[in-house]
Amino acid sequence: MDKNQIREIIARRAALEINDGDVVNLGIGLPTAIPSYLPEGMDVTLQSENGLLGMGPAPAPGEEDPDYANAGGGYITALPGASVFGSEESFTIIRGGHVNVTFLGALEVDEKGNLANWMIPGKKTPGMGGAMDLIVGAAKVILTMEHTAKGNHKILKECRLPLTAAGQVNKIITEMGVMDITPAGIELVEINPEFTVEQVQAATGATLIISPDLKPMF
């Protein structure tokens, strides 16, 4: 399975978590692919933490506007009726609990819902950015991430890297399946039919709870 296939599987499944009328924040990287898989006609408002409510799709080549970029610096468009404002107002929206769901990537996540996604000790980093605000401000936090990194576990019993936030993750979506964070641990609720439960467990650094109602991912 190549990177593009993995990205499509994760983004396609993540799109099913969005409801009509939601205000949605998309993290840098893979989450930005999610809108491509939303049902036509769904009323969703995309929020960019650098100051845009009503973010549209990426512009066609040659039509990029340097005044419109997402938090990761990628070119975007604004839909009719969009609002542009300062980052301080954007974070008032986030901290005020007005974002229904945020989709983020992760370096590590553990069975307590702790997330590490901003630095690896010894490597230069621009800082934590808005992730810490999004994780505690959004009503639901969903991680969209590859299940492993070069064969190494990313889903752990306990995070080893510096945390972005503790106990805030609700759900994990990878190319192998969908997992809920519960008080008892990480519950595998959906599985990609290309994998077995044993393969998913072997790729996970925490003991999974297998849902009695486990179903195919799609």
Side-chain angles (χ1 to χ4, degrees):
M1 191 180 296
D2 65 28
K3 291 281 188 182
N4 289 331
Q5 289 175 307
I6 290 172
R7 181 183 176 92
E8 179 179 350
I9 288 169
I10 297 171
R12 186 182 297 278
R13 176 57 186 82
L16 300 178
E17 296 293 324
I18 298 175
N19 298 310
D20 204 58
D22 277 351
V23 175
V24 179
N25 179 281
L26 303 174
I28 297 168
L30 194 154
T32 61
I34 294 171
S36 299
Y37 301 100
L38 291 174
E40 188 173 349
M42 178 177 272
D43 179 22
V44 174
T45 301
L46 299 181
Q47 188 259 2
S48 183
E49 65 207 62
N50 54 329
L52 179 63
L53 194 63
M55 183 168 58
E63 297 181 8
E64 297 89 350
D65 184 337
D67 290 329
Y68 284 95
N70 60 27
Y75 288 115
I76 56 174
T77 58
L79 298 176
S83 299
V84 179
F85 35 80
S87 60
E88 73 283 2
E89 292 170 292
S90 186
F91 279 93
T92 298
I93 292 172
I94 294 167
R95 294 169 183 168
H98 303 293
V99 175
N100 298 104
V101 58
T102 183
F103 295 91
L104 299 169
L107 294 171
E108 293 179 346
V109 58
D110 68 27
E111 61 185 15
K112 298 180 181 65
N114 299 327
L115 171 64
N117 77 341
W118 74 284
M119 75 167 295
I120 297 174
K123 293 190 176 182
K124 290 185 177 181
T125 175
M128 192 178 291
M132 61 180 182
D133 299 275
L134 284 162
I135 293 169
V136 298
K140 183 183 288 187
V141 177
I142 300 177
L143 302 185
T144 51
M145 53 181 265
E146 292 188 37
H147 204 98
T148 61
K150 298 180 180 178
N152 296 314
H153 293 157
K154 296 176 66 176
I155 304 172
L156 306 169
K157 184 172 182 62
E158 185 174 353
C159 286
R160 299 160 298 190
L161 297 174
L163 296 185
T164 309
Q168 298 296 318
V169 175
N170 301 110
K171 188 182 292 286
I172 307 166
I173 300 174
T174 77
E175 76 278 13
M176 300 185 86
V178 179
M179 289 141 280
D180 289 337
I181 304 294
T182 76
I186 302 173
E187 182 176 10
L188 181 67
V189 295
E190 297 179 28
I191 187 169
N192 184 334
E194 293 189 26
F195 300 96
T196 65
V197 170
E198 291 73 21
Q199 286 174 318
V200 179
Q201 179 59 78
T204 306
T207 300
L208 294 171
I209 301 166
I210 310 304
S211 171
D213 301 315
L214 182 65
K215 62 182 182 180
M217 196 170 173
F218 295 106

